[in-house]
Amino acid sequence: MFPFRRSSDRILSGLFLVPLAFALGGLFAAADLQIAPEVGNISDFRTDRIAFHYVQLVDKDGNAIPDRNSGKDNSEATLVIIDRGQLTLLKDGYDDPSQVRDREREYLAKIYHYTRLRELEQEYKKLPEAEKRTLRTATEADASDPKVGDSGKEAKAVSSAENKSATNSVLPEPEPRSKGLDLLLKFDDELLKHYGAAKAAYAEYVRSEKIYGKDSPRTSSLRNKYSEAMERVSARKRVLSNFLRNPGPETNPYPGDRKDQNVFTNHMNGVPDYYLHSTSPREVDGMIRGEEEVGKKYGELYRKARDRLVDAEIEKLYYYFWNRDMTNTRIKVEKYLKGKKVVVVTGDSTVYTMIDKEDDGITESFFVDSPGLRFSWGRDIPNILSISNCTDEAILSKIKSLADEVASGRIQKKVEKLDITVPEEQILEELKPLLKNL
């Protein structure tokens, strides 16, 4: 497979990579790479370090791609900094959980409404024809009158109610219950709410007329309140009547499957929009949201730390590649989707994984995992670098040729010596001037 490797290497590699293939195959099959570092899921605060997580499951048009966990953010990057035992998280593409919940509730309300109207349609078909006629008669006049729009219909209803009140001391009661009306009330919560409000308003109005008289300001106010409530009942009944006459996508559009809903709308742009600082595990001491403030204060730190970490890990990969005999580093290339996956296991058990899924010479995903570290933020998630489906040009410029270079053995940059003690600590030392404001 690799002409530049000796036969003894191939034998050792074959023995070593049989169990490795299963382990790494399980990494991408079982791990949910959308699990991002959070103050509650980071396992170790004791050792100073830096780590970076990035996942992009949004296409060029901003739509979430199907291969994702719809319950987690599909476009988010997180830089982890642990310095002097204190944690800082900087996120790009952060979505406020309360806003996400609001979007989810909005979708659930839509799908519930859609389902109830479908059930109403089925039950309406079972009604006796006489009941259908009664129901249609109650709403058809307004619904079919082309000269009267919705606002005109409401004015007509008010005028009719006022004319009746001139000849009768009491306005007419809300429509009496019938099989048709009961069916509408059963399957439409909005009509049920309006009908209940109209009944209550009518009872108040009748009491007021008996006590204060029909010309009192209080009675007039309640009369208007009741008329408005009946307008809402009539308007909703017209909507339902229109649906029952023409059931289908035009009157009851399908809101889409849950998995296709994009409730995470804030996408990455290279500028952090969320800051969290913690001086002790599981506790939050400081938090800032918003790109304007976070980007201004911590944007330089975010980009420098991210880029420096990626560069350091690539440098380390090059070192092990050029010294693979001495360090017992092993390499494996396998087919992955349309392209390839390249796995390098170094002498210190660090695992580098590069994926070119389209076989277009661009490495979209780059993972660096050190199983010996206690530090992690999710089961089977690479714990140093986890860059999945990258579209960020600044990161791509560094990683895009890695899979091809390692697979072919044609790495141009030769690294024979490297201080590889703890590159993350060295990076923190370099970044000290920017860390003092955390």
Side-chain angles (χ1 to χ4, degrees):
M1 185 183 299
F2 300 96
F4 51 87
R5 295 170 62 190
R6 297 182 302 189
S7 59
S8 59
D9 286 344
R10 294 193 189 99
I11 294 171
L12 287 170
S13 176
L15 292 173
F16 185 78
L17 286 170
V18 169
L20 178 65
F22 289 101
L24 290 171
L27 170 66
F28 296 100
D32 182 352
L33 295 172
Q34 288 173 255
I35 295 175
E38 306 290 351
V39 68
N41 64 12
I42 291 175
S43 61
D44 180 21
F45 284 66
R46 288 170 291 183
T47 306
D48 291 353
R49 66 177 58 260
I50 187 169
F52 182 63
H53 169 269
Y54 173 109
V55 64
Q56 178 69 289
L57 296 175
V58 177
D59 64 21
K60 61 182 180 180
D61 298 320
N63 300 315
I65 63 178
D67 185 19
R68 77 191 197 286
N69 181 337
S70 59
K72 291 187 174 67
D73 204 330
N74 48 53
S75 177
E76 184 179 89
T78 305
L79 178 72
V80 181
I81 299 172
I82 300 178
D83 181 39
R84 292 161 293 172
Q86 298 186 22
L87 169 73
T88 300
L89 297 179
L90 291 171
K91 291 181 180 287
D92 176 17
Y94 172 80
D95 281 271
D96 188 325
S98 63
Q99 295 178 0
V100 171
R101 287 192 293 270
D102 288 343
R103 296 183 198 111
E104 288 176 335
R105 281 194 289 266
E106 184 180 341
Y107 167 75
L108 291 174
K110 287 179 179 178
I111 196 68
Y112 172 77
H113 177 66
Y114 168 82
T115 304
R116 297 296 281 174
L117 284 184
R118 289 295 304 272
E119 293 171 348
L120 170 61
E121 177 188 351
Q122 297 304 314
E123 292 299 316
Y124 177 75
K125 291 177 181 177
K126 300 175 185 178
L127 277 182
E129 192 58 38
E131 289 292 341
K132 290 181 182 178
R133 278 197 302 271
T134 302
L135 185 58
R136 284 196 298 267
T137 302
T139 56
E140 204 164 57
D142 284 343
S144 62
D145 186 353
K147 298 179 182 178
V148 184
D150 282 345
S151 58
K153 292 169 190 172
E154 291 173 3
K156 183 178 176 182
V158 175
S159 175
S160 175
E162 289 174 346
N163 288 338
K164 290 178 181 177
S165 67
T167 56
N168 300 292
S169 62
V170 179
L171 287 175
E173 291 187 56
E175 179 185 345
R177 301 288 289 263
S178 64
K179 285 187 178 180
L181 179 59
D182 284 349
L183 189 65
L184 297 183
L185 294 173
K186 176 181 177 182
F187 287 101
D188 191 76
D189 292 345
E190 188 175 343
L191 178 61
L192 180 62
K193 180 181 73 174
H194 294 329
Y195 186 79
K199 294 280 282 186
Y202 180 77
E204 279 188 283
Y205 160 68
V206 171
R207 271 197 307 273
S208 178
E209 187 172 85
K210 287 179 179 178
I211 297 172
Y212 303 106
K214 65 178 182 178
D215 297 324
S216 72
R218 177 179 175 81
T219 303
S220 297
S221 174
L222 290 172
R223 183 187 299 116
N224 292 335
K225 180 180 176 182
Y226 170 58
S227 296
E228 290 169 1
M230 286 305 297
E231 287 172 27
R232 290 190 286 270
V233 170
S234 298
R236 187 60 193 164
K237 283 178 64 182
R238 286 195 297 272
V239 171
L240 296 174
S241 177
N242 184 47
F243 165 71
L244 291 173
R245 284 198 307 273
N246 306 288
E250 291 183 358
T251 51
N252 186 26
Y254 179 55
D257 294 342
R258 174 65 185 88
K259 62 182 179 61
D260 297 326
Q261 304 305 306
N262 187 13
V263 296
F264 298 95
T265 58
N266 186 25
H267 301 152
M268 292 179 287
N269 62 357
V271 181
D273 44 35
Y274 173 87
Y275 160 91
L276 179 145
H277 188 71
S278 175
T279 56
S280 59
R282 310 295 183 266
E283 293 182 9
V284 177
D285 297 291
M287 182 187 298
I288 305 173
R289 298 175 183 175
E291 185 175 291
E292 185 174 348
E293 185 173 0
V294 178
K296 183 177 180 180
K297 284 186 175 180
Y298 305 108
E300 183 183 4
L301 170 61
Y302 171 82
R303 287 183 290 274
K304 281 191 174 181
R306 175 199 68 186
D307 293 348
R308 186 66 187 89
L309 177 62
V310 174
D311 288 340
E313 292 303 331
I314 292 174
E315 191 89 352
K316 185 177 174 183
L317 171 64
Y318 286 169
Y319 168 80
Y320 275 108
F321 177 87
W322 285 109
N323 297 276
R324 55 191 177 280
D325 292 338
M326 180 181 68
T327 59
N328 196 30
T329 295
R330 297 294 173 258
I331 303 169
K332 181 179 180 180
V333 180
E334 61 183 45
K335 186 168 180 59
Y336 183 85
L337 300 178
K338 298 177 182 178
K340 58 181 172 288
K341 177 166 73 173
V342 183
V343 180
V344 177
V345 182
T346 68
D348 67 352
S349 299
T350 302
V351 182
Y352 291 82
T353 305
M354 295 142 275
I355 297 177
D356 173 2
K357 65 180 181 181
E358 299 293 338
D359 199 26
D360 55 2
I362 297 176
T363 303
E364 302 97 350
S365 300
F366 181 44
F367 304 99
V368 183
D369 186 44
S370 183
L373 294 178
R374 279 192 290 200
F375 172 79
S376 67
W377 63 79
R379 184 174 177 269
D380 295 330
I381 307 295
N383 60 2
I384 297 176
L385 277 178
S386 179
I387 300 173
S388 180
N389 198 36
C390 184
T391 59
D392 186 295
E393 290 299 327
I395 301 174
L396 274 180
S397 66
K398 301 174 185 298
I399 70 171
K400 64 181 180 181
S401 61
L402 283 180
D404 273 357
E405 288 182 350
V406 176
S408 65
R410 294 192 295 270
I411 292 180
Q412 301 301 316
K413 183 176 180 179
K414 191 165 186 176
V415 181
E416 294 182 339
K417 292 183 180 180
L418 185 70
D419 181 1
I420 58 170
T421 49
V422 185
E424 294 89 346
E425 290 183 2
Q426 294 173 356
I427 295 170
L428 287 175
E429 192 66 29
E430 295 171 17
L431 295 172
K432 264 193 174 178
L434 295 172
L435 297 176
K436 64 183 179 181
N437 295 323
L438 289 179

